[in-house]
Amino acid sequence: MLQNILPGGGVSLMFSNLRTMWLVFLHLFRKKETIQYPEEKIKLHPRWRGRIVLTKDPDGGERCVGCYLCAAACPVDCIALQATEDENGRRYPEFFRINFSRCIFCGYCEEACPTYAIQLIPDFEMGEYNRQNLVFEKEDLLINSEGKYPGYNFYKVAGMEAGVKAKGKGDNEELPVDVKSLLP
Amino acid sequence: MPTIYIDNKPYEVKAGKNLLEASLGLGFDLPYFCWHPAMGSVGACRQCAVKVFKDEQDSSGRLVMSCMESVKDGLRMSITDSTAKAFREQVIEWLMTNHPHDCPVCDEGGNCHLQDMTVMTGHDYRRFEFKKRTYTNQYLGPLIHHEMNRCIQCYRCVRFYRDYVGGDDLDVFGAHNHVYFGREQDGILQSPFSGNLAEVCPTGVFTDKTLKKHYTRKWDLTTSPSICQHCSLGCNIIAGERYGQLRCIVNRYNSNVNGYFICDKGRYGYEFVNSVNRITEPLIRTRPVEAVDEATAMGHLKSLVTSAPVIGIGSPRASMESNFALMQLVGKDNFYQGISDDTAYLERRIVELLQTGAVNSVALKEIEAADAVLVLGEDIWNTAPVMALAVRQAVMKTAAAQAAQQTSLPAWHDAAIKEFVQNEKGFLANITVIASPIDAIAAFSEHEAPDNIARLGFAIAHLLNAAVPPVPGLTEREAATAKNIAGALQQAKRPVVISGTSCYNEGIIKAAFNISLSLNRPERKAGIAYVFPECNSMGLAMMKAPPFETAMQRVKTENNCTAVILENDLYRYMPEGKADDFISHCGNLIVLDVLHNRTTAQAQVLIPAASFAEADGTLVNNEGRAQHFYQVYMPANDRIKESWKWLGNIKNMKATITNGLQHHPDEWLAALETTLPQFTNIAKVTPSHNFRINGQPVPREPHRYSGRTAILANISVSEPRPLQDDDSPLTYTMEGYPGLPPASMTPYFWAPGWNSGQAVNKYQAEPGGELQEQDQQVCLFPGKEQENFHFFKDSPEAFAARQDKYLLLPQYQLFGSGELSIYSTAIEELVPQACIILSAKDAADLGVVNGAPVTIEKNELHYTLPLKIHDELCSGIILAPVGYRGIPALPWGAWVKIMV
Amino acid sequence: MSVMQHIWIVLGVLFVLLNIAAGLIWVERRLLALWQDRLGPNRAGPLGLFIVLADTLKLFFKEDWIPPFADKWIFITAPAIVVGSVLLSFVIIPFAPGIVVADLNIGLLFFLAMSSLGVYSIVLGGWASNNKYALLGALRGASQMIAYEVFMGLSLMGVVMLTGSFKMGAIVEAQKDMWFIVTQPVGFFVFFIAGIAETHRLPFDIPEAESELIAGYHAEYSGMKFGMFFIGEYLGITLISAMMVALFFGGWLGPAFLPPLAWFALKTFFFIGVFILLRASLPRPRYDQLIEYGWKILLPVVLANLMITGAIALWVRGE
């Protein structure tokens, strides 16, 4: 009957319970896992998906070319931008707005970005008392760093000329063809 | 109908098609580049390979290009065959070896046929390790951006530019893998259809340069079906908006009107909508603070329209709804046309002629199918460019059709037909005042004075039907020309006569009617097309309101009249003095308009009207076809409203009853039908504003529309409710009916796997055919089956040059004569210099040379412009630019003096 | 004892008890945290003690919501019953010689009577809430109380037999030589288990069972009305701990280096700690298991204990 009520046997179960209590009690003397935030900071993985930034090329230009892929990839539609271009034909965002009160930090924008411009960094300390302050404009997003992908410059590998390299001078490019030549 | 087997399933298809057309028409996804439904096949890109099998037992089959193989009964083919699939994937891979890595900065991205086809074939990894070929780009003018690296050598651009529209300044240069598509040297593309290159090019070599300045991806545009506002043809367009600005115009396929292509004025003339010159607030000019809110404006308007007698001045560029709303507000007897009396008279004549039903008013599609075309006195290249394009197709296709009959060549086999046809052309006679680029393909091109053109027309009509009296005193040369033209028209099966109002000559209109009527026989359906000056000139003319002169008399006799002027700059149509006179006699002047102009500057009350992109409305094109355009986006503020909404609100405020009032476009059209019976059926142009498909509205935004929660976040982080459109079945969201909407309500062409505009083939019943959900087409001039029509018998006297006086005629310019399109910076750059044109003989007599200042003088009016000598102009005529900004209306058709 | 003195004792006991009950908020959260390798509330005030203040303030300022579908007056009365009945039980607890509100002759019976009254609070609260979860919680609470009430009383009869009195002071005095835990281990064991069930603390918090019944009988309660249930529960823990000390662990008795009151307090806090350790370590049994365990095991055990104790007591007295 006892087995029916107390699986595993009544007496052994009671001792098991007492043993459990003892073992739990011993935890009193263990090291505590609590991190005393904010005095003590947590160490986050470099790929941790936190605050979104816009990075710069090695030459200091904006990496973002305003292709709108991040905005299209965003499942909560919290990215809006307008592309424009400078006198060399180099594209950059005229404005770039992320509504962090909607952002779910899924990282799809980073995955969609063909120029490594938009990156999620290990920073989550973005609390605000006023929701309006969670709307970040380009000035708030742009950082003076190459972020996780040092050395990459989209215009070096893209075919077009935008003041970074002349036609045919990019990586893996031949010099422009001479249309008048009939040589093979 | 032959049956073909695709992957062992039988399908019935139309004879005379190629396998690619047939497969696409059946809904299969088959990649292609060089083939275009309007241009036929050349088999250049090797992309549409399929397997064709000899018979049921044949398991190996052979690879063929589906665009080069005719449909045959019992033919067996496979699209999914692994060899064919591998072949197609390899073709893409070869094309991509040199394609640059720049989709993110390419304006075609997301709207790119090459992207779609690459994904469709499955090529996803670059194995080619060697360097990419590069090209330098060219400056091609303010309309088209050139990025030659992206080229995949499909030859579509040159086939379109040289063969289809007849341009000669874009060509292919170089050899082997160095071929280059561009101009001989940097420079502006000369064809007024060059903008279509952006849609014809399957990738991003040619892109829209005005869109580039405020670039937005296709998926981010809020788009609506709209109608071009820049000429009387009423081409169908899709207008796209983002961030409260009109961003671009693309062609909206309509098999009966504009097909696949529109002109550059239509494509690039949209920027006036974003102009700083827009009227954005109601102004009451008598107050210290002029800008007022809506309630104040309405209160003021109410007191104005109830106190004094009110007259309304209609507009040839306002929608039917707006014109009718004004007519309802002021009363039928107080509504006048706001155009010059001469134009109003000519237009009224044309409306009466077309309403007899004796002649067939033809659509552009029928002009394209014509086998003989006679242009009488209208410079269609400048006043109706897409009609000129249709005429060109008529000329080229007639020869092609004859060739196809003589040989076994299928009609789609473009290269072979071209080779066979050589320089054979269909019949075109271009009889105009001034030379035109279509002269190049014309069998006859004569440049005459308007009266002589009319006489030639009468002479042709006489030769075709003896009921028309002979024209006395024809020269031998004229008689010979008339005989030749009459002979060619007589032989044609589908002849079309084109004329218009731009010569200010009634004789030409009558002559064109005579010719068309005499050609119209039971065995032969002849067509006629009259070109009108503005987008709704026909609609306004059909209202048959009294001309402006009557309004003038009215304000002079009844002092203190309140005049309501609807979207009309009087100074564009009336000589300065006349317009000034009118305005000074009005007690109060209320003006509704989109842009500030000389008339609005003098208004006491100025009301901001919505532009076509912010409005719903209906236009009647030159053919009598009513077409509805839908709002693309909500105006910047709620004071900017459609004119019919403003006028309707004022009218409703006056009304003592509340039921039976009109609030929505469909209600206005229904009221128009009952009030003016000549507009019967016009309400069928759009469904009711609460029309839904399966309970769902039609979404204006594609399902990938982005930024919904961020666009307005800088203003307030709480998202507002989506905008509500009460006036149409379209909605300002991504949600709505996912299937094909009725053709006239198609806001964008998109199909799974087909992101570019080429997705239109998924909307068509067959490639190049009608749209699948084609709704009712409303033509207001139904033909009648009755006999006793009368010919005009009063041919005018021969033109005789006068001593010291010249006949002043308008010279239309595609870029420059438009009132609104000129506000586009790109078009402004292309406007030719304003000049006065004289014949070489007259210039020599006057002793002036090219560029010398010449002054036109008429009744104290002086106007000076530089001279341009034109060899083919006949003596005794002077041409001056019409509609240019800063150049007032001149007394067209009058005899003027010249001071050198 | 003068009346004044009596009033001071009553007020003192009331003050200390309410403070202990409130302070247990902090004690429980800290201890639970420590046993789970955390730190627990340590921000507000020294050692995080002000969390008590913060929690109390929070409870006071929360919206005092009475659902429109509830039976208003019963809904309001229910939480007061639990606090009232538990506080009344403290009347008979001898904290130290002379520090007792009323050392009744029938002290133990009074305690049993009062603790039985507590069930009304659960049943009425759950019923008045007019909510299916609350009603289920109330039903469970009622049957659990009825079951465990029986052998709670029976388990104490051994002590009464050995002392020969229901008077609490006498019971404590009777342990001068030996604590009853030595002579009545089974009685203690059953009383302890029954005490957990009576206070419906974990692992026997079956009437609340937030993971099954979304807080059971007090699901609809908020603000200070919920606070009363909350306080009632902590007072219950203190009461059962104090009873265990007085009945089995010699009450205030202890070596002379500490005053009697301190001994009593120390022993009581030890048992409060055991209650919290139970919560930290044991999972909740199923409802049917709990009832079955009570009737099928504890009842026979406690009856056997009663029989054996009676026999031994007779045999020792040599009658």
Side-chain angles (χ1 to χ4, degrees), chain B residues 158-168 191 193 367-370 373 375 380-381 385-399 418 425-428 437-438 440-442 498:
Chain B
V158 285
R159 288 174 61 217
F160 169 75
Y161 200 88
R162 301 185 73 83
D163 301 344
Y164 195 85
V165 306
D168 58 2
S191 170
F193 305 100
I367 296 178
E368 251 181 50
V373 180
V375 180
I380 53 171
W381 188 262
V386 176
M387 186 181 276
L389 189 60
V391 167
R392 181 180 162 84
Q393 300 325 307
V395 171
M396 305 314 260
K397 276 185 192 158
T398 309
K418 284 227 161 59
K425 289 189 177 62
F427 180 79
L428 165 66
I438 58 167
I441 51 164
I498 295 172

Short mmCIF file of all heavy atoms in Angstrom, two decimals, chain B residues 158-168 191 193 367-370 373 375 380-381 385-399 418 425-428 437-438 440-442 498:
data_model
loop_
_atom_site.label_atom_id
_atom_site.label_comp_id
_atom_site.label_asym_id
_atom_site.label_seq_id
_atom_site.Cartn_x
_atom_site.Cartn_y
_atom_site.Cartn_z
N VAL B 158 18.92 47.87 -77.95
CA VAL B 158 19.05 48.38 -79.32
C VAL B 158 17.88 47.93 -80.18
O VAL B 158 17.43 48.66 -81.07
CB VAL B 158 20.38 47.99 -79.98
CG1 VAL B 158 21.51 48.82 -79.42
CG2 VAL B 158 20.66 46.52 -79.85
N ARG B 159 17.36 46.74 -79.90
CA ARG B 159 16.18 46.32 -80.67
C ARG B 159 15.01 47.23 -80.38
O ARG B 159 14.22 47.56 -81.26
CB ARG B 159 15.82 44.86 -80.34
CG ARG B 159 16.81 43.88 -80.93
CD ARG B 159 16.49 42.49 -80.47
NE ARG B 159 15.16 42.09 -80.91
CZ ARG B 159 14.34 41.35 -80.19
NH1 ARG B 159 14.71 40.92 -79.00
NH2 ARG B 159 13.14 41.03 -80.64
N PHE B 160 14.89 47.63 -79.09
CA PHE B 160 13.81 48.55 -78.77
C PHE B 160 14.09 49.91 -79.37
O PHE B 160 13.25 50.49 -80.07
CB PHE B 160 13.65 48.67 -77.25
CG PHE B 160 12.75 49.79 -76.84
CD1 PHE B 160 11.38 49.67 -76.97
CD2 PHE B 160 13.26 50.99 -76.36
CE1 PHE B 160 10.54 50.71 -76.62
CE2 PHE B 160 12.43 52.04 -76.02
CZ PHE B 160 11.06 51.90 -76.15
N TYR B 161 15.30 50.41 -79.13
CA TYR B 161 15.58 51.80 -79.47
C TYR B 161 15.64 52.02 -80.98
O TYR B 161 15.16 53.02 -81.50
CB TYR B 161 16.91 52.21 -78.83
CG TYR B 161 17.07 53.71 -78.70
CD1 TYR B 161 16.59 54.38 -77.59
CD2 TYR B 161 17.71 54.45 -79.69
CE1 TYR B 161 16.73 55.73 -77.45
CE2 TYR B 161 17.85 55.81 -79.57
CZ TYR B 161 17.37 56.46 -78.45
OH TYR B 161 17.49 57.81 -78.32
N ARG B 162 16.26 51.09 -81.68
CA ARG B 162 16.43 51.29 -83.12
C ARG B 162 15.24 50.75 -83.91
O ARG B 162 14.70 51.42 -84.78
CB ARG B 162 17.72 50.65 -83.60
CG ARG B 162 18.95 51.18 -82.92
CD ARG B 162 20.22 50.59 -83.50
NE ARG B 162 20.51 51.14 -84.83
CZ ARG B 162 21.13 52.30 -85.03
NH1 ARG B 162 21.52 53.01 -84.00
NH2 ARG B 162 21.36 52.74 -86.25
N ASP B 163 14.85 49.52 -83.59
CA ASP B 163 13.81 48.89 -84.41
C ASP B 163 12.41 49.31 -83.98
O ASP B 163 11.56 49.56 -84.82
CB ASP B 163 13.92 47.36 -84.30
CG ASP B 163 15.27 46.87 -84.75
OD1 ASP B 163 15.98 47.67 -85.41
OD2 ASP B 163 15.62 45.72 -84.45
N TYR B 164 12.17 49.36 -82.69
CA TYR B 164 10.80 49.58 -82.24
C TYR B 164 10.41 51.05 -82.30
O TYR B 164 9.36 51.39 -82.83
CB TYR B 164 10.59 49.03 -80.83
CG TYR B 164 9.13 48.89 -80.46
CD1 TYR B 164 8.42 47.75 -80.82
CD2 TYR B 164 8.47 49.89 -79.78
CE1 TYR B 164 7.07 47.63 -80.51
CE2 TYR B 164 7.13 49.78 -79.46
CZ TYR B 164 6.43 48.65 -79.83
OH TYR B 164 5.10 48.53 -79.53
N VAL B 165 11.27 51.94 -81.75
CA VAL B 165 10.87 53.35 -81.76
C VAL B 165 11.60 54.15 -82.84
O VAL B 165 11.30 55.32 -83.04
CB VAL B 165 11.07 54.04 -80.39
CG1 VAL B 165 10.37 53.27 -79.32
CG2 VAL B 165 12.52 54.24 -80.05
N GLY B 166 12.57 53.54 -83.52
CA GLY B 166 13.18 54.23 -84.65
C GLY B 166 14.23 55.25 -84.26
O GLY B 166 14.54 56.14 -85.06
N GLY B 167 14.80 55.15 -83.07
CA GLY B 167 15.89 56.05 -82.71
C GLY B 167 17.17 55.61 -83.41
O GLY B 167 17.30 54.47 -83.84
N ASP B 168 18.12 56.51 -83.58
CA ASP B 168 19.35 56.09 -84.24
C ASP B 168 20.60 56.47 -83.47
O ASP B 168 21.70 56.34 -83.97
CB ASP B 168 19.41 56.65 -85.68
CG ASP B 168 19.35 58.15 -85.69
OD1 ASP B 168 19.28 58.75 -84.59
OD2 ASP B 168 19.34 58.75 -86.79
N SER B 191 15.66 60.05 -78.51
CA SER B 191 14.29 59.57 -78.67
C SER B 191 13.43 59.97 -77.46
O SER B 191 13.87 59.87 -76.32
CB SER B 191 14.29 58.05 -78.80
OG SER B 191 12.98 57.58 -78.73
N PHE B 193 11.24 58.29 -76.31
CA PHE B 193 10.80 57.06 -75.66
C PHE B 193 11.95 56.39 -74.93
O PHE B 193 11.86 55.23 -74.55
CB PHE B 193 10.20 56.09 -76.70
CG PHE B 193 9.09 56.71 -77.49
CD1 PHE B 193 9.31 57.20 -78.77
CD2 PHE B 193 7.83 56.86 -76.93
CE1 PHE B 193 8.30 57.80 -79.49
CE2 PHE B 193 6.81 57.46 -77.65
CZ PHE B 193 7.04 57.94 -78.93
N ILE B 367 -4.84 51.68 -83.97
CA ILE B 367 -3.89 52.41 -84.84
C ILE B 367 -2.68 51.53 -85.12
O ILE B 367 -2.19 51.44 -86.24
CB ILE B 367 -3.48 53.74 -84.18
CG1 ILE B 367 -4.69 54.65 -84.03
CG2 ILE B 367 -2.38 54.43 -85.00
CD1 ILE B 367 -4.40 55.96 -83.34
N GLU B 368 -2.22 50.82 -84.07
CA GLU B 368 -1.08 49.93 -84.25
C GLU B 368 -1.38 48.84 -85.27
O GLU B 368 -0.48 48.38 -85.97
CB GLU B 368 -0.75 49.25 -82.91
CG GLU B 368 0.53 49.75 -82.28
CD GLU B 368 0.84 49.04 -80.98
OE1 GLU B 368 0.80 47.80 -80.95
OE2 GLU B 368 1.12 49.74 -79.99
N ALA B 369 -2.64 48.44 -85.33
CA ALA B 369 -3.01 47.36 -86.24
C ALA B 369 -3.41 47.87 -87.62
O ALA B 369 -3.74 47.08 -88.50
CB ALA B 369 -4.16 46.56 -85.64
N ALA B 370 -3.38 49.20 -87.82
CA ALA B 370 -3.82 49.75 -89.10
C ALA B 370 -2.84 49.37 -90.20
O ALA B 370 -1.66 49.16 -89.95
CB ALA B 370 -3.92 51.27 -88.99
N VAL B 373 -2.11 54.65 -92.79
CA VAL B 373 -2.37 55.74 -91.86
C VAL B 373 -2.19 57.06 -92.60
O VAL B 373 -1.22 57.24 -93.33
CB VAL B 373 -1.41 55.69 -90.65
CG1 VAL B 373 -1.70 56.83 -89.69
CG2 VAL B 373 -1.52 54.35 -89.94
N VAL B 375 -2.00 61.04 -91.65
CA VAL B 375 -1.97 62.06 -90.61
C VAL B 375 -2.25 63.39 -91.26
O VAL B 375 -1.54 63.80 -92.18
CB VAL B 375 -0.61 62.07 -89.89
CG1 VAL B 375 -0.61 63.14 -88.81
CG2 VAL B 375 -0.31 60.71 -89.30
N ILE B 380 1.84 64.82 -84.44
CA ILE B 380 1.61 63.86 -83.35
C ILE B 380 2.89 63.53 -82.60
O ILE B 380 2.82 63.13 -81.45
CB ILE B 380 0.93 62.57 -83.85
CG1 ILE B 380 1.70 61.96 -85.02
CG2 ILE B 380 -0.51 62.82 -84.20
CD1 ILE B 380 1.18 60.59 -85.40
N TRP B 381 4.03 63.69 -83.23
CA TRP B 381 5.29 63.41 -82.51
C TRP B 381 5.38 64.25 -81.25
O TRP B 381 5.86 63.79 -80.21
CB TRP B 381 6.46 63.71 -83.44
CG TRP B 381 7.79 63.27 -82.87
CD1 TRP B 381 8.69 64.03 -82.23
CD2 TRP B 381 8.35 61.95 -82.92
NE1 TRP B 381 9.77 63.29 -81.86
CE2 TRP B 381 9.59 62.00 -82.27
CE3 TRP B 381 7.89 60.73 -83.45
CZ2 TRP B 381 10.41 60.88 -82.13
CZ3 TRP B 381 8.72 59.62 -83.30
CH2 TRP B 381 9.95 59.71 -82.65
N PRO B 385 2.82 61.67 -78.43
CA PRO B 385 3.96 60.85 -78.85
C PRO B 385 3.67 59.35 -78.92
O PRO B 385 4.18 58.67 -79.82
CB PRO B 385 5.03 61.15 -77.79
CG PRO B 385 4.38 61.99 -76.76
CD PRO B 385 3.12 62.52 -77.28
N VAL B 386 2.88 58.84 -77.97
CA VAL B 386 2.64 57.40 -78.01
C VAL B 386 1.80 57.03 -79.23
O VAL B 386 1.91 55.93 -79.77
CB VAL B 386 1.99 56.93 -76.69
CG1 VAL B 386 1.65 55.46 -76.74
CG2 VAL B 386 2.95 57.19 -75.53
N MET B 387 1.01 57.99 -79.71
CA MET B 387 0.28 57.74 -80.95
C MET B 387 1.26 57.67 -82.13
O MET B 387 1.12 56.82 -83.02
CB MET B 387 -0.76 58.84 -81.19
CG MET B 387 -1.65 58.56 -82.37
SD MET B 387 -2.83 59.89 -82.65
CE MET B 387 -4.13 59.44 -81.54
N ALA B 388 2.27 58.51 -82.10
CA ALA B 388 3.30 58.43 -83.14
C ALA B 388 3.98 57.08 -83.11
O ALA B 388 4.30 56.48 -84.15
CB ALA B 388 4.32 59.56 -82.95
N LEU B 389 4.20 56.57 -81.88
CA LEU B 389 4.81 55.24 -81.74
C LEU B 389 3.89 54.17 -82.31
O LEU B 389 4.34 53.24 -82.99
CB LEU B 389 5.10 54.98 -80.26
CG LEU B 389 5.93 53.75 -79.92
CD1 LEU B 389 7.30 53.84 -80.56
CD2 LEU B 389 6.07 53.59 -78.42
N ALA B 390 2.59 54.34 -82.05
CA ALA B 390 1.62 53.37 -82.59
C ALA B 390 1.60 53.44 -84.12
O ALA B 390 1.51 52.41 -84.78
CB ALA B 390 0.23 53.66 -82.02
N VAL B 391 1.69 54.64 -84.66
CA VAL B 391 1.72 54.79 -86.11
C VAL B 391 2.94 54.09 -86.67
O VAL B 391 2.88 53.37 -87.68
CB VAL B 391 1.71 56.29 -86.49
CG1 VAL B 391 2.06 56.47 -87.96
CG2 VAL B 391 0.36 56.90 -86.18
N ARG B 392 4.07 54.24 -85.98
CA ARG B 392 5.29 53.57 -86.43
C ARG B 392 5.09 52.05 -86.45
O ARG B 392 5.49 51.37 -87.39
CB ARG B 392 6.46 53.94 -85.52
CG ARG B 392 7.75 53.29 -85.97
CD ARG B 392 8.94 53.60 -85.12
NE ARG B 392 9.97 52.61 -85.39
CZ ARG B 392 10.83 52.69 -86.40
NH1 ARG B 392 10.78 53.73 -87.22
NH2 ARG B 392 11.72 51.75 -86.63
N GLN B 393 4.46 51.52 -85.39
CA GLN B 393 4.22 50.07 -85.36
C GLN B 393 3.31 49.66 -86.51
O GLN B 393 3.51 48.61 -87.12
CB GLN B 393 3.62 49.64 -84.03
CG GLN B 393 4.47 49.94 -82.82
CD GLN B 393 5.93 49.79 -83.07
OE1 GLN B 393 6.40 48.77 -83.56
NE2 GLN B 393 6.69 50.85 -82.80
N ALA B 394 2.30 50.51 -86.79
CA ALA B 394 1.39 50.19 -87.89
C ALA B 394 2.19 50.06 -89.18
O ALA B 394 2.04 49.10 -89.95
CB ALA B 394 0.34 51.28 -88.01
N VAL B 395 3.09 51.01 -89.39
CA VAL B 395 3.87 51.02 -90.63
C VAL B 395 4.79 49.81 -90.70
O VAL B 395 4.89 49.13 -91.72
CB VAL B 395 4.68 52.34 -90.69
CG1 VAL B 395 5.66 52.30 -91.85
CG2 VAL B 395 3.74 53.52 -90.81
N MET B 396 5.46 49.51 -89.58
CA MET B 396 6.42 48.42 -89.59
C MET B 396 5.72 47.06 -89.61
O MET B 396 6.16 46.14 -90.28
CB MET B 396 7.34 48.49 -88.36
CG MET B 396 8.08 49.81 -88.19
SD MET B 396 8.83 50.43 -89.70
CE MET B 396 10.51 49.94 -89.48
N LYS B 397 4.63 46.95 -88.88
CA LYS B 397 3.98 45.65 -88.76
C LYS B 397 3.22 45.27 -90.03
O LYS B 397 3.04 44.09 -90.31
CB LYS B 397 3.01 45.65 -87.58
CG LYS B 397 3.70 45.35 -86.26
CD LYS B 397 2.69 45.24 -85.16
CE LYS B 397 3.36 45.23 -83.81
NZ LYS B 397 2.42 45.64 -82.75
N THR B 398 2.74 46.30 -90.75
CA THR B 398 2.03 45.98 -91.98
C THR B 398 2.96 45.24 -92.93
O THR B 398 2.59 44.19 -93.49
CB THR B 398 1.55 47.27 -92.65
OG1 THR B 398 0.85 48.03 -91.69
CG2 THR B 398 0.64 46.98 -93.82
N ALA B 399 4.17 45.77 -93.05
CA ALA B 399 5.14 45.11 -93.93
C ALA B 399 5.44 43.72 -93.42
O ALA B 399 5.52 42.75 -94.18
CB ALA B 399 6.41 45.95 -94.01
N LYS B 418 12.66 40.84 -90.32
CA LYS B 418 13.40 42.06 -90.66
C LYS B 418 14.25 41.84 -91.89
O LYS B 418 14.34 42.69 -92.78
CB LYS B 418 14.29 42.47 -89.49
CG LYS B 418 13.53 43.10 -88.38
CD LYS B 418 14.20 44.37 -87.89
CE LYS B 418 13.17 45.16 -87.13
NZ LYS B 418 12.61 44.39 -85.99
N LYS B 425 7.71 49.03 -96.18
CA LYS B 425 6.96 49.61 -95.06
C LYS B 425 5.49 49.65 -95.42
O LYS B 425 5.10 49.61 -96.57
CB LYS B 425 7.45 51.02 -94.78
CG LYS B 425 8.83 51.07 -94.16
CD LYS B 425 9.19 52.44 -93.70
CE LYS B 425 10.54 52.41 -93.02
NZ LYS B 425 11.63 51.99 -93.92
N GLY B 426 4.67 49.76 -94.39
CA GLY B 426 3.25 49.99 -94.61
C GLY B 426 3.04 51.42 -95.05
O GLY B 426 3.98 52.22 -95.12
N PHE B 427 1.78 51.76 -95.33
CA PHE B 427 1.53 53.07 -95.89
C PHE B 427 1.29 54.11 -94.80
O PHE B 427 0.44 53.93 -93.92
CB PHE B 427 0.30 53.03 -96.82
CG PHE B 427 0.00 54.36 -97.42
CD1 PHE B 427 0.73 54.83 -98.50
CD2 PHE B 427 -0.99 55.18 -96.89
CE1 PHE B 427 0.46 56.07 -99.04
CE2 PHE B 427 -1.26 56.42 -97.41
CZ PHE B 427 -0.52 56.88 -98.51
N LEU B 428 2.05 55.22 -94.88
CA LEU B 428 1.82 56.35 -93.99
C LEU B 428 1.97 57.62 -94.82
O LEU B 428 2.96 57.80 -95.52
CB LEU B 428 2.84 56.37 -92.85
CG LEU B 428 2.95 57.68 -92.06
CD1 LEU B 428 1.66 57.96 -91.29
CD2 LEU B 428 4.11 57.65 -91.09
N PRO B 437 9.74 63.74 -87.13
CA PRO B 437 10.57 62.53 -87.27
C PRO B 437 9.85 61.38 -87.94
O PRO B 437 10.51 60.51 -88.51
CB PRO B 437 10.94 62.20 -85.83
CG PRO B 437 10.85 63.50 -85.11
CD PRO B 437 9.74 64.25 -85.76
N ILE B 438 8.51 61.36 -87.90
CA ILE B 438 7.86 60.21 -88.55
C ILE B 438 7.84 60.34 -90.06
O ILE B 438 7.47 59.40 -90.75
CB ILE B 438 6.42 59.95 -88.01
CG1 ILE B 438 5.53 61.16 -88.20
CG2 ILE B 438 6.44 59.50 -86.58
CD1 ILE B 438 4.06 60.82 -87.98
N ALA B 440 10.30 60.09 -91.71
CA ALA B 440 11.31 59.12 -92.14
C ALA B 440 10.68 57.81 -92.57
O ALA B 440 11.23 57.10 -93.41
CB ALA B 440 12.31 58.90 -91.02
N ILE B 441 9.54 57.46 -92.00
CA ILE B 441 8.92 56.18 -92.37
C ILE B 441 7.67 56.41 -93.22
O ILE B 441 6.93 55.47 -93.51
CB ILE B 441 8.56 55.36 -91.13
CG1 ILE B 441 7.75 56.20 -90.14
CG2 ILE B 441 9.80 54.80 -90.47
CD1 ILE B 441 7.04 55.39 -89.10
N ALA B 442 7.44 57.66 -93.63
CA ALA B 442 6.21 57.96 -94.36
C ALA B 442 6.43 57.77 -95.86
O ALA B 442 7.49 58.10 -96.39
CB ALA B 442 5.78 59.39 -94.08
N ILE B 498 -5.74 60.38 -88.92
CA ILE B 498 -5.43 61.07 -87.68
C ILE B 498 -5.43 62.56 -87.93
O ILE B 498 -4.84 63.02 -88.92
CB ILE B 498 -4.05 60.62 -87.14
CG1 ILE B 498 -4.11 59.13 -86.75
CG2 ILE B 498 -3.63 61.46 -85.96
CD1 ILE B 498 -2.77 58.56 -86.40
#
